[in-house]
Amino acid sequence: MESTTNNEITLTIDGRAVTVPAGTTILQAAREAGIEIPVICYHEATTSNGLCRTCVVEVEGARVLAASCVAQAAQNMVVHTRSERVLRSRRTILEMLSSAVDLSEAPEIQQMIEDYGADTQRFPAAQKREFALLDDNPMYVRDYSKCVLCWRCVQVCAEDAQYTYALSYNGRGFNTMISTFFNEPLPATTCVFCGQCVGVCPTNALKPRREWLLEQGKTPEEIIALTPKERRRRPQ
Amino acid sequence: MSNFDLSPLQEQLQSMQTQGRSALLPALHAAQEIYGYIPEAVAQEIGRSLGVPLADVHGVIEFYSLFYSAPPGQAVVHICTDIACALRGSEQVLETVCRHLGIREGGTSADGAFTVQRAPCLGLCEHAPAALVGKSAAGEINSHAVEDLLAGKLPAPRAIVGGTQRRLTKNCGKGRPTTLAEYLEGGGYAGLRRALSLSPGAVIDAVKDSGLVGRGGAAFPTGVKWEGAAQAPGEPKYVVCNADESEPGTFKDRVLMEDDPHLTLEGMIIAGYAIGAPKGYIYVRGEYLQSYKTLGDAVAEAEAAGYLGKNILGSGFDFEIELRLGAGAYICGEETALFESIEGKRGFPRLKPPFPTTSGLFGKPTVINNVETLCNIPFILAEGPEAFRRAGTEKSPGTKLFCLSGDVKSPGVYEVPFGVSLRYLLDDLAGGMRSGSPLQTVLVGGAAGAFATPDQLDVEMSFEGLKSAGLPLGSGVVLAIDQTHDLRQVLLNLARFFAHESCGKCYPCQLGTQRQFEILGRVAAGEAQSEDVARLSDVGWTMGDASICGLGQTAATATLSAIRLWPEMFGAS
Ligand SMILES: Cc1cc2nc3c(=O)[nH]c(=O)nc-3n(C[C@H](O)[C@H](O)[C@H](O)COP(=O)(O)O)c2cc1C
Ligand code: SF4
Ligand code: SF4
Ligand code: FES
C-alpha cells in the first residue's frame, strides 16, 4: 500500500460526499459512508476478481456498470448504488443464480434474494448445475451443486494463503466445476487438509464431514467408526 | 507408474523449460501430437517439468476445447455448425456423417478412426458448410461424398478475394502464399525500410496522422495505442498480433495470413520498432493450422533475409517473432484473455484497468493489434499518411476488408474503401442473393452484431455511418439471410455459440448465456412463454451492463436487436 494520507479524493455516492484515500475501492468508500452494497464473491481475505457482479454500481458517464469491489473511487466521481439499471442487474443475477445452484444453505444470498425482490422461479425449465456429492476424505465433503463459483477455495488453496494448489476447474462457462487434478480424490492430491477452503466457502458446498454425517442422522460413535485412520497420500 | 513412453515428450520439454509456465500450451500441443491426447501421467510430467501446479495443468486442459484428456478417434472431424454454415445445411451434414459412421455427435467410430464433433465457426464461411478433418480444412462439404470428406480427399479451400481497392489484398487470391521474393517485387518491406530511417516517435506520428483505427472490433485509434505503450514505463515491451479470429462470420485475417504472411510480419516489425519492443507474438487460433504453418515459414524466410532477428537491415534494431497456437477458445481473442493464454493459463479476461499499454503480456507494456490493423501499417509508412487517407471517409480513413457470407451468390473477402453502401457490397460485389428468395435481413458485425433490414441497405459502411444506423462494424461481418430461413433458428444458433464460448468468470455471462440459449430454444420451437421477452430483455441488459468483458457485454446484442425489430417473432404461440 502506498502512503495515501495526503492523497485524498472526494466523490459522491447516492448524493453523499465521501472523502477517502486514493486507491480505495468504491465498495469501501460506500461502506465508509454507511452505504451497504451486496457482495457474493468478495471476501476480505481473498483477492477480488469481480466475479459475481452483485456489487455493481452506476458511475455517471461510464458506458457499463462498475464492480464496486474492484473499481477504484476517483475524484469527483458520481456513483449511484441503487439506480434502475443497478437493481435490474442485481435482481437478474440473483434470479439466474437461484435457477442454477442449490442455495438452501447460503443464508446471506437468500437474504439478498429477499432484499432485491428476486423471483427464484423466474427461469422455468432452466438447467441446474448438479453434481454427485464427493465424499473422498476424512475431513470434508464437497457438494458442488451448492457451488456459486466464487473461486475463494481455489484462491486460498493457492497464492491467497496456502500455496498448496490442490484445486482448479473442470470445464468452462456455465459448465464449470471446481475440481482436482484429473478429478483425483483429495487425499491423492497436494491437499494438506488445512481447512481454509471450508472456512471461506459461502454456501456450504464445502462442509466438515462430521457435520455432514450428523445431518445424515449418524451418531458420533458411528462417525468415529466411519472415519478412516490413515490418509492415503500419493508419494511425491 | 505409467505405461507411456515419456522420453519423446521429455526431449521437447527440455527446450521449453526456460520459458516455464508460458510454454504450457505449446507443451500440451506437443504432447497431443505424440500421444493423440493428454493422459494423466503426461500432464503430470509437463507440470513437473515446467513448474506448473498439477491442478493448474488440469484446469488449462479443461478450458480449451481442442485439448483432450481422454483419447478421441485417430482423426477428429470438426463440422462447423455456426451461422454461415448452418444457413447452408451443416446440421444435415453433421447428421449424415454421424449416420455414415454409426455414431452420435461427439462419438467415436467403432474402429477408432473418427470422432465427430460440432465445431464453432471455423473461419471458412465463404466455403460453407465447412469442416476440419484432422488437420485439413474442407469446404462445401455438402456437395461431396462423406467417404471423400473422411478420406481427406477434398481440395483445400482457396481464398476468394475481391473488391475495388486492393491495398491489403493485392497479393491475395493466388491460392498459395506469396513468397518473400514476390512480396519484395510488389514493394514489400519498403514500409519497414522507411520506418527504420525515421525515429520511433516519427513512426508513431505517421500512424496517428493516418487516422488508422483498429480492425479487431473495439475501433481504438492505433497510433494512440502505440504512443501509450511507447511512453509507459517497464521493459521489455511486447507487440502481440491478435490472430485468434473466431467471431462467427469472420475470415479476413485467415486470408491475409495464408496468402500474404509477410504483410503481417512487416506491420509487427514496424510496431516493435515504434514502441521499442524486442519481441512479438502472433497468437493464431488453434483451428487455423494453415495460417500457423504459412506464418512460420514466412518468419523463417524473413529471418534468413535479415528482416527479422538481430540488427535488422543494418539499423541496429533487433526483433524476433514467436508464434503461438490457440486451442479452441473464442474468448482468447479478447486481448487480456489472450495474454493469459500465452502465459500458460486458462483464458480468463483480466479486470481493466490496468490496460495492455501499461500492463499487458507478462505485466509489461504491450501493443496488441488485429492482423488486419497491422497489415495497414506497411502502406502508411511506405506511402505516407496522406496517401492512406485518400481512401475512405474523414472519420474512417483507409480500406476495409468485409467478410461476405450467407445467402449471397459470391461470398468472399472484399476490400473496399470505407464509405461504400451495404447495398453495393451485397449486390455489386457479392452478386446479390444466390437463390430466388429475397433478402430477409443482414447480420452486421458478427455474432455480437445486429440485424440490418432491407430498407437499411443504403447505410454507409464506415464506423460513423454504421453507428448512426445503430449497427456495429465489429469484425467486418456482412452475412446475408434470405427469406427461406427462420430467424428464430438464427438467434438460437448465435446464442448457442455464446453459451459454448463464455469463459464462466463472471456471473452475468456465465449464467446469462446459458439462460438466453434455453429461452431462445423455446422460442425457436414455437413454445415461447408470455414472459420470455421480458426474461430475454433482463438477461440481455444484465449481461450488457454487468459483464466483465466484451463477450458478455455483446452476447445479447443480436437478440435485443431482433426483439426491437420483430417483437411478433417472440410471441407466445
Ligand atoms: C470476446 C472477444 C473476442 C475477440 N476476438 C478478437 C479476435 O479474434 N481478433 C482480434 O483482433 N480482436 C478480437 N477482440 C478484440 C481484442 O480484444 C482487441 O480489442 C483487439 O485485438 C485490438 O486490436 P485492434 O486495436 O487492432 O483492433 C475480441 C474481443 C472480445 C471481447
Ligand atoms: S466450493 Fe465454495 S468456496 Fe469454492 S468456489 Fe464453490 S462456493 Fe466458492
Ligand atoms: S463476460 Fe463472459 S467471457 Fe467475459 S469474463 Fe465474463 S464470463 Fe468470461
Ligand atoms: S463482490 Fe464484486 S464482483 Fe462479487
Side-chain angles (χ1 to χ4, degrees), chain A residues 11-82:
Chain A
L11 69 161
T12 311
I13 307 181
D14 294 345
R16 270 178 256 182
V18 190
T19 300
V20 290
T24 306
T25 62
I26 297 174
L27 179 70
Q28 286 164 336
R31 284 186 175 174
E32 221 123 291
I35 296 166
E36 254 328 295
I37 295 175
V39 296
I40 293 179
C41 66
Y42 176 84
H43 188 284
E44 262 91 11
T46 56
T47 308
S48 295
N49 287 308
L51 309 175
C52 74
R53 318 302 276 186
T54 47
C55 69
V56 287
V57 295
E58 188 164 348
V59 176
E60 281 186 14
R63 184 177 54 89
V64 292
L65 302 177
S68 62
C69 70
V70 286
Q72 290 187 3
Q75 182 65 25
N76 297 331
M77 198 181 233
V78 181
V79 178
H80 303 280
T81 75
R82 295 187 63 89

Side-chain angles (χ1 to χ4, degrees), chain A residues 50-51 53 63 65 85 88 92 99 122 124 126-127 129 148 168 170-173 179-182 184 234, chain B residues 40 44 54-55 58-59 62-63 328 346 500-503 506-507 510 514-515 518 535 538 542 545-546:
Chain A
L51 309 175
R53 318 302 276 186
R63 184 177 54 89
L65 302 177
R85 279 169 78 193
R88 153 137 80 174
T92 309
S99 70
R122 181 85 193 278
Q127 189 183 321
R129 276 200 293 258
V148 292
S168 183
N170 281 349
R172 71 179 182 209
S179 77
T180 58
F181 178 65
F182 278 74
E184 292 279 4
R234 155 174 307 202
Chain B
E40 187 170 348
Q44 213 162 21
L54 295 187
H58 174 74
E62 284 280 317
F63 190 85
R346 287 167 69 87
H500 186 259
E501 299 300 332
S502 165
C503 81
C506 68
Y507 292 17
Q510 168 213 106
Q514 174 67 23
R515 293 295 168 256
E518 290 164 356
R535 291 186 187 113
D538 275 349
T542 300
D545 267 347

Side-chain angles (χ1 to χ4, degrees), chain B residues 523-539:
Chain B
V523 171
E527 292 161 8
Q529 302 177 358
S530 55
E531 285 298 299
D532 279 346
V533 167
R535 291 186 187 113
L536 285 171
S537 302
D538 275 349
V539 169

